[in-house]
Amino acid sequence: MQSTKKDIRALSLEALQEFFSQRGEKAFRGKQVYQWLWNKGVHDFNAMTNLSKATRAFLDEHFTINHIAVDQQQRSQDGTIKNAIQLYDGKVVESVLIPVKDRTTACVSSQVGCSLDCRFCATAKLARMRNLNADEIFDQVVAIDQQSRVYFGRPLSNIVYMGMGEPLMNYNNVLASIEKITSTKGLGMSPKRITLSTSGIPKLIRKMAEDQVRFNLAVSLHSAVQETREQIMPFCTKFPLTDLLDALRFWYEKTKSVITYEYVVWKGINDDMVHIKALVDFCKKVPSKVNLIEYNPIGEDDFKQASLEAIEQYQEYLTASRIPNSVRRSRGKDIDAACGQLANKAKGE
Ligand code: SAH
């Protein structure tokens, strides 16, 4: 429920300390509250047991803790769990827990809907309704960590920003969420276990490099031929591959972090030698690796998974040029939890 009280999680550590000082209490109370919020992930002032009852009641009177609720859970035969997440204003996004051997990966959403128009993606069919706040992204991670402990007996190990939305179009909140996840005052996870996936917005890739981020970058390339890319991702008319490449060069110079290209091979779209050679050339420009991902049909007739031979041909040419590559099988397909399938279908929205 939306509350008229101020969301305490909008306050920085400094602001919380200031708040307590002004009340004549010790500033370290602010640090204690911060730890409850961002290190332990609690959603209730009453759970903050190292504060006096009076302080807890006072906080409750003045603040709220807006938080997500896992509204519905679907489990795939392969162990993948898809969550429908109810936000404080009633909107819904999805997050996915993907168990792989001894690891658990959380795939989180960054926007309600998406403003981009990738023709092969189910989320793109939903208009962008709003950006998620940092805490709404953080909460998805905490919820999946809890699920991982309950169902698989281990904590969450990796996070991918590959759910609904374009993370770079919600730059500040996405980076703030990563700060809370990686900071020692927050969950303390290594940024090397986090991957942000973007459709490739050059200006914002540069900004991340300038901001010296330490997480991994994945770019949804799908074609290194400009005309083809524009056909399947129409917004790319504004972002030519030459600009993308410049931005990626800059990223590598600043971060020394190898880029992952996500790439789906479709029949009659990019399954020929022209596209294979273009990809190999593109990959040679900046240290990178390629994830060839399986297409998850979303009911678009124009898009069909390419043949196995075409995918093998891609692998052959990439490997011959010493470009690391792998074929990533879809997970959670039976519950529409795979890449590009997140569209709040279960709720019929
Ligand atoms: N907006 C971001 C993150 C969300 S999409 C991005 O574009 O990277 C996560 C990945 O799934 C992207 O690589 C995207 O291109 C891919 N994807 C989208 N629809 C897909 C589909 N139907 N099948 C397989 N992959 C898909």
Side-chain angles (χ1 to χ4, degrees), residues 120-121 162-163 165-166 197-199 220 222 262 294-296 339-340:
F120 47 83
C121 178
M162 292 187 192
E166 167 49 52
S197 173
T198 173
S199 55
S220 303
H222 302 309
E262 294 158 284
E294 201 182 320
Y295 176 54
N296 303 306
C339 282

Side-chain angles (χ1 to χ4, degrees), residues 123-143:
T123 310
K125 312 267 176 257
L126 309 168
R128 188 196 76 92
M129 286 175 258
R130 73 167 169 88
N131 286 338
L132 295 195
N133 298 327
D135 50 90
E136 292 171 319
I137 302 171
F138 176 89
D139 281 357
Q140 294 175 58
V141 171
V142 172

Side-chain angles (χ1 to χ4, degrees), residues 221 224 245 259 261 263 276-290 318 321-324:
L221 190 62
L245 193 56
I259 298 147
Y261 296 127
Y263 202 99
I276 295 178
K277 285 195 172 138
L279 177 63
V280 170
D281 280 350
F282 195 87
C283 289
K284 281 182 183 162
K285 304 266 170 40
V286 190
S288 53
K289 56 186 178 189
V290 177
L318 289 166
S321 294
R322 296 176 196 280
I323 297 155

Side-chain angles (χ1 to χ4, degrees), residues 7 37 45 48 77 87 93-94 100 104 118 128-129 147 153 162 171 191 199 208 240 258 266 296 315 324 342:
D7 185 0
L37 295 173
F45 292 113
M48 301 183 178
Q77 285 174 350
L87 306 173
V93 290
E94 293 174 334
V100 197
T104 302
C118 305
R128 188 196 76 92
M129 286 175 258
Q147 289 173 344
M162 292 187 192
Y171 189 94
S199 55
M208 278 195 293
V258 171
W266 289 284
N296 303 306
Q315 288 203 282
L342 302 184

Side-chain angles (χ1 to χ4, degrees), residues 49 63 121 126 162 168 194 248 254 272 279 291 300 305 307 314 324 339:
T49 46
F63 295 104
C121 178
L126 309 168
M162 292 187 192
L168 293 189
I194 300 178
L248 294 173
K254 289 271 179 196
D272 54 30
L279 177 63
N291 257 343
E300 282 294 314
Q305 168 82 45
S307 66
Y314 261 98
C339 282

